[in-house]
Amino acid sequence: RRIRFFTRSLRSSMPKALEVEAMPAFTVLIPHYEDPIIAPRSELVDENGKLRDNLKLLCRYFPSDAINLITRLERKPRTPERIEKEWRRWASMRSQTLYRTIRGMLCYAKALDFHLQAKGLGKDRRNVIAQRFQCLIAMQKYATTSQPDSKLKPQVDEIVRMMDKSPWLEIAYLEEEELVTKEQGLQN
């Protein structure tokens, strides 16, 4: 039945695609609570520097990708911190993390950019994309995780780094405020 549907769809005429300027705008909402944003170091390497099973498994499933990363890291001298970040990003793109979800959704903006570039639209491309596409991360715990003493602060910094590169990526969060009741105010 599925093959029959597929073969029939090949014979049907393709509808004319809308111009980017005429397409409806949409926002992708990605919810986040306390999930890891990027693969934590503790999941990849133990305290002694030995590889954990998660990283070994990823290297076994994606051997050519791992070899390409190693080759890329050997080309330019990098600090150990930079190498660790690259491995964490690599592992994050091959497992279920918020980082992978965001990067995947931002590919849509890149595709729009390439399409507009092919059409010859010059400097105005970013504005057109910003009018048509937005990726919004709803981070419920952003106010607490972005504090300097939070253990998730480095992970939130990764999102901020992605926001610097992508103007159509935004964070939505609620700040908690302490309410003072009349009774508490009178006691003080």
Side-chain angles (χ1 to χ4, degrees):
R1 189 172 58 154
R2 289 181 185 162
I3 293 175
R4 217 177 304 137
F5 175 78
F6 177 68
T7 55
R8 285 184 189 148
S9 70
L10 291 176
R11 284 187 246 140
S12 63
S13 60
M14 287 288 289
K16 187 173 180 180
L18 291 174
E19 294 293 321
V20 175
E21 295 82 8
M23 70 180 255
F26 71 98
T27 299
V28 176
L29 178 66
I30 302 171
H32 178 265
Y33 187 68
E34 285 183 340
D35 310 329
I37 296 169
I38 191 167
R41 183 184 199 283
S42 60
E43 286 186 12
L44 305 176
V45 182
D46 65 10
E47 300 83 31
N48 301 327
K50 292 187 179 182
L51 299 182
R52 292 204 183 254
D53 291 338
N54 292 353
L55 188 56
K56 288 178 186 177
L57 184 68
L58 289 173
C59 289
R60 194 174 319 132
Y61 281 153
F62 306 102
S64 60
D65 292 351
I67 290 169
N68 288 340
L69 177 65
I70 291 168
T71 305
R72 194 169 54 242
L73 292 174
E74 288 175 347
R75 280 191 202 138
K76 294 181 185 175
R78 291 185 164 93
T79 63
E81 294 84 20
R82 179 73 179 162
I83 291 171
E84 179 186 322
K85 274 187 181 181
E86 290 292 327
W87 273 106
R88 289 176 62 203
R89 287 182 190 141
W90 181 87
S92 297
M93 288 300 295
R94 285 148 188 85
S95 56
Q96 287 186 310
T97 58
L98 183 67
Y99 184 80
R100 178 181 178 186
T101 304
I102 294 169
R103 289 276 309 260
M105 289 313 306
L106 291 179
C107 287
Y108 183 80
K110 283 184 184 177
L112 279 177
D113 188 36
F114 287 136
H115 177 71
L116 292 170
Q117 189 176 8
K119 288 179 61 178
L121 195 61
K123 298 177 181 178
D124 200 34
R125 289 191 323 252
R126 285 183 161 259
N127 292 335
V128 172
I129 295 169
Q131 291 171 355
R132 300 290 174 238
F133 174 72
Q134 178 185 23
C135 186
L136 183 65
I137 307 167
M139 296 183 78
Q140 295 176 8
K141 294 281 191 170
Y142 180 77
T144 56
T145 56
S146 62
Q147 299 297 323
D149 59 340
S150 172
K151 66 178 182 177
L152 292 177
K153 174 78 167 107
Q155 300 225 1
V156 173
D157 290 344
E158 193 68 32
I159 296 293
V160 172
R161 187 190 67 76
M162 291 175 79
M163 287 174 64
D164 290 341
K165 290 184 175 182
S166 307
W168 31 83
L169 177 63
E170 296 181 22
I171 294 177
Y173 67 95
L174 296 174
E175 285 190 18
E176 296 177 14
E177 291 184 9
E178 225 177 278
L179 293 176
V180 178
T181 62
K182 289 181 183 179
E183 293 172 4
Q184 289 174 335
L186 292 174
Q187 290 174 357
N188 293 335

